[in-house]
Amino acid sequence: MKAKMPNKPAEAATYSCNKCSKQFKFEQGALICPNCQNANKSDLVVISMKDNPEESQLYTDDDFPGG
């Protein structure tokens, strides 16, 4: 899981609304569920996001410990 800056604009991705279970694509603007108009970011969860090559260059092997 990558770190998020507080108050950062929402990223383009496919989201799921935890209130009404609607899945929707978001590109830009205000992140709001098109079905129930929910704008609470903690209820809008990313389920699919394209890789960002510029962001990926910032990571090293130390960022991915695992086993």
Side-chain angles (χ1 to χ4, degrees):
M1 178 163 188
K2 62 183 181 177
K4 295 286 185 185
M5 292 175 32
N7 302 318
K8 180 181 176 186
E11 298 182 67
T14 301
Y15 286 80
S16 177
C17 177
N18 285 338
K19 286 199 171 198
C20 70
S21 300
K22 171 78 174 172
Q23 291 184 10
F24 61 96
K25 290 185 186 239
F26 172 77
E27 293 295 327
Q28 63 183 2
L31 181 59
I32 299 173
C33 175
N35 189 50
C36 69
Q37 307 306 310
N38 177 23
N40 185 345
K41 286 187 177 181
S42 63
D43 288 333
L44 302 170
V45 181
V46 174
I47 58 172
S48 176
M49 181 181 293
K50 291 183 182 178
D51 289 332
N52 182 342
E54 292 175 357
E55 182 178 297
S56 296
Q57 290 178 353
L58 300 174
Y59 295 109
T60 67
D61 289 342
D62 292 337
D63 295 310
F64 301 100

